[in-house]
Amino acid sequence: MSSKSHSQAAARAVELRRKLEDASYRYHVLDEPNIPDAEYDRMLRELDELEATHPELATPDSPTQRVGSAPSAKFAEVVHAVPMLSLGNAFTDEEVQDFVNRIVKETGDAQPRFSVEPKLDGLAISLRYENGVFVRGATRGDGATGEDVTANLRTVKAIPLRLRGDAPEVLEVRGEVYMPLAAFEKYNAWAREHGEKTLANPRNGAAGSLRQLDPRITAQRPLSFYAYALGEVRGAALPPTHSQTLAWLRELGLPVSSESGTASGAEGLLAYYRRVGERRAGLPYDIDGVVYKLDRYDQQRAMGFVSRAPRWAIAHKYPAQEVATTVESIEVNVGRTGAVTPWVLMTPVHVGGVTVSRATLHNADQVARLDVRVGDTVIIRRAGDVIPEVVGVILDRRPKGAQPWTMPKTCPDCGSAVEREEGEVVARCTGGLYCPAQRVQALFHFASRRAMDIEGLGERLIQGLVDFDYVRTVADLYKLGVDDFVQMKQRADERDGVVPETVKAGKIATKWAENLIAGIAASRDSTLERVLFALGIRDVGESTAKTLARHFGALQPLMDADEETLKQVPDVGPVVAARIAHFFAQPHNREVIAALRENGVHWPEGAPQRATEGPLSGKTVVLTGGLASMSRDEAGAKLEALGAKVSGSVSKKTSLVVAGEAAGSKLAKAQELGIEIWDEAALLAFLEQNA
């Protein structure tokens, strides 16, 4: 840094502060992190070094001088009686040795003892107990002031509401709320099944869950907790060491990591770091390093603090796992929704304990930012089980004549045009119902309960039908017979090494296949709104499909409508109008619709319908959660009969939300937007009044 001129250093410091503050705001306030932790740490270290070299550049509001970010205005503020400071970081063995050397020099202890523990990747919190009873919980916030999340913390089963044994008058416990990896995977599987938003990763799952306004949503999230420090304590004599304090907290009923222990000197710390690192992939939670704390409290007091961290503790971070390799080709993968994602085929390289030969490039913008070209030497990062990604290009190793990469204009799977809408990051194949890469998802959606409702046709059977080329479009489902399903299932079982379930007592069991064929046959008798939803037109959900069916009355007028005509449909804006028109303009989509009709799929058609007049005319209603007296579909039909438009998502245009049991994110969003909310009793009273 010393080689920089003062003006360059000043400009860089301003840029780093802006980026760090923005990242902090997105992480702590919006719960929408936009950069990895390793990049944040790198920028913070660079700023720290700049300010050390040029002290005149240091400012009181620099990220190097504070902890975390300001608390959200959505929660009451809690002033911490004892500040919740963050830790300094070490990334190398030498930095750990320097840390120990300072302690040896200032304490006179030639072999200082440390309390050691994993550094969990979650959300730091403070729990206040008065006479053994949990009375308040808060986030770290900016270190001095946090957010009151008591109601949410009460839902975390790992946090005791009453301590065991003789508890002090006041005990403030610091620790980490986190989401176990198995629970994270289970929750996301449930979310996908129920159409809820999945969590990005366990760390943000924990942070986002604790910062929900509705504790009922937090209660549905599988959170846990480990204690690791103390804040204010009154009415108790503390043990002389930190490790003994952790043992005491465990006796009081507070969970403490089983990986916690003690180690002596730099050699002991580094041995612990490597031991935990070797076991990191098998731990039941995410960690990004380990923490070393001087064990004796008298030595901690002697070492004291700097402005933003204790001098007697440090976090030893595991490095982002990066290696260099050569790009052999740049390919694209077409996902189930048509998203076209570029990736690199590269010279195989060992990183993160495995050999990899592919890495993602995410999207065309990322390729352009990095300027990745065939033949380039690139830096690959892999952390944990995350898919490897290209994070940089070593430009001085670029071969002569390397050409910039461009997104292909046609889909490699079906030859349809690849298009990217204005304002969107992702390019998509326009093949829709025709594209093989999108076939499994199209079939799964088509058969779903709210679409054509083909009972028993799950994703594994659909995958087999596609893999063995029994179906190429949704219309082919109506050509299948019992023998097709039985043969396909046997082939899939043989390929997957599964003991065939279709053979019982020496005979081929066909009842399941007969039931499937019956379910497919029954789905031939449908409605226009179900068929429109089943076609999987982008952004045409159940509500829009119903609106289109009523507005046009028949399919052909809708297929022939241009964008201007479609924009006249209530609640259909220019973007959705363009997508509908584009879908029906594709010859292969029209061919699939014609094939559906040829194979007996039919629905009533008639004249366009006007919106029902009634007490809810002009109002948009959202139903969420379970109702005891009727299904949500029945409730929706009753509300529509009274003039309402029933929607599947909450927005500023929503007039009313009916919240049943276990209502989730939709209820929280309605509360955040100040939308009127009814429970089931209010709904029933309204329906009875307007019967």
Side-chain angles (χ1 to χ4, degrees), residues 385-462:
D385 293 328
V386 176
I387 297 171
E389 64 174 339
V390 178
V391 295
V393 176
I394 303 177
L395 293 176
D396 58 7
R397 299 186 193 177
R398 172 169 287 167
K400 291 183 179 179
Q403 297 298 310
W405 180 85
T406 57
M407 178 69 72
K409 297 189 183 318
T410 59
C411 171
D413 289 275
C414 71
S416 299
V418 171
E419 297 180 357
R420 177 178 170 183
E421 294 184 10
E422 185 176 351
E424 288 216 346
V425 173
V426 177
R428 296 180 187 273
C429 164
T430 59
L433 299 176
Y434 174 76
C435 180
Q438 301 175 62
R439 196 173 295 159
V440 170
Q441 184 62 27
L443 286 162
F444 188 67
H445 174 75
F446 184 85
S448 64
R449 184 172 65 85
R450 296 186 177 277
M452 301 305 284
D453 193 19
I454 303 175
E455 188 173 354
L457 190 58
E459 193 160 3
R460 186 168 185 268
L461 285 174
I462 289 172

Side-chain angles (χ1 to χ4, degrees), residues 153-166:
L153 287 170
R154 288 183 184 276
T155 71
V156 180
K157 294 180 180 179
I159 296 175
L161 300 181
R162 180 181 291 274
L163 299 177
R164 298 167 61 90
D166 295 328

Side-chain angles (χ1 to χ4, degrees), residues 44 56 85 163 165 192 283 311 313 409 579 614 655 689:
L44 187 63
E56 68 278 12
L85 301 180
L163 299 177
R192 285 188 288 269
L283 293 175
R311 298 179 67 239
K409 297 189 183 318
R579 287 172 178 165
S655 312
Q689 181 183 351

